[in-house]
Amino acid sequence: MLKICVCVSGGGTNLQAIMDAIDAGKITNAQIVRVISNNRGAFALERAKSKGIDAVAVSPKDYEDREDFNRAFLNCMDDVKPDLIVLAGFLVVLPPMMIKKYEGRIINIHPALIPSFCGKGFYGLKVHEAVLARGVKITGATVHFVDEGTDTGPIILQKAVEVRPNDTPEVLQQRVMEEAEWEILPQAINMIANGLI
Ligand code: GAR
């Protein structure tokens, strides 16, 4: 059984998609052992708790400096000894020590087709604003392994989504989530849990 720790910062709809996929048997051989958020007020923590999943906030605001936060975050991760770390809308740069320690065992969902609209500064709604500003007709989402760079690790799955003429960033974000993110993130986890990658 693959032990997963999911890291979240906000609403947690991707976390919900993972929990639903486990319930529906679309993800097998895996269980979420902990959800960690950098944001105490993240609704994602409530989603986890309502399923009886251990949910913990580790906020940089509670620590003197970044090093202290990084240490606490790493300890909170190590406590549950996860086989896989899933970044599901996690808007914090991972401590380099964590990336090294869990090399090849961290995945991220990005709301665009990497290598477009990714890297530093491209997160959340900003990605969709940039997509609309550039006028591309196709966007999508990417699940990739995490390395030391920002959105540079090996790609696992991608799915394309149409951009429509009257899209706002919010409308496009919702379509990308519904048609791509909530599908390919659970799918990638199931592939890893069943030795298909
Ligand atoms: C998702 O769209 C995810 O792809 C994005 O944040 C959103 C979180 O939504 N992640 C990034 O931009 C990371 N670079 P959620 O909390 O409802 O899952």
Side-chain angles (χ1 to χ4, degrees):
M1 186 74 88
L2 190 85
K3 292 199 293 173
I4 304 170
C5 180
V6 184
C7 297
V8 292
S9 294
T13 63
N14 278 286
L15 168 67
Q16 190 68 52
I18 298 166
M19 296 190 304
D20 291 349
I22 290 173
D23 285 350
K26 290 181 183 167
I27 297 175
T28 55
N29 295 322
Q31 66 175 134
I32 301 173
V33 291
R34 175 166 280 181
V35 171
I36 303 177
S37 179
N38 61 303
N39 170 9
R40 257 172 277 128
F43 184 61
L45 290 173
E46 302 311 315
R47 291 183 193 267
K49 283 179 197 158
S50 72
K51 276 267 171 201
I53 296 171
D54 177 40
V56 186
V58 184
S59 166
K61 290 181 192 152
D62 296 336
Y63 298 90
E64 287 259 307
D65 55 29
R66 204 69 193 177
E67 283 224 337
D68 278 2
F69 164 72
N70 282 351
R71 207 170 301 119
F73 181 34
L74 188 59
N75 285 341
C76 184
M77 187 64 74
D78 288 348
D79 276 352
V80 290
K81 297 188 172 54
D83 302 308
L84 181 70
I85 299 172
V86 177
L87 308 183
F90 191 58
L91 304 182
V92 167
V93 176
L94 289 191
M97 255 166 62
M98 187 179 282
I99 297 175
K100 210 173 232 169
K101 187 161 189 179
Y102 290 92
E103 199 186 349
R105 290 184 287 153
I106 310 176
I107 64 171
N108 178 51
I109 178 84
H110 182 75
L113 293 174
I114 290 174
S116 293
F117 305 104
C118 65
K120 231 173 166 213
F122 285 99
Y123 59 88
L125 216 47
K126 286 181 193 292
V127 174
H128 306 291
E129 286 164 1
V131 162
L132 293 176
R134 185 62 186 86
V136 297
K137 304 302 176 205
I138 299 286
T139 184
T142 304
V143 183
H144 64 94
F145 285 107
V146 172
D147 63 11
E148 291 77 12
T150 308
D151 303 327
T152 52
I155 290 170
I156 301 168
L157 289 173
Q158 291 189 301
K159 187 160 184 238
V161 174
E162 180 192 8
V163 180
R164 297 191 190 146
N166 295 321
D167 276 347
T168 62
E170 290 79 7
V171 167
L172 182 58
Q173 179 180 51
Q174 185 67 21
R175 189 178 314 117
V176 168
M177 283 177 157
E178 279 175 16
E179 293 184 10
E181 295 185 43
W182 302 341
E183 234 178 77
I184 63 174
L185 184 56
Q187 202 182 328
I189 293 169
N190 187 53
M191 288 164 73
I192 292 169
N194 290 284
L196 301 175
I197 297 178

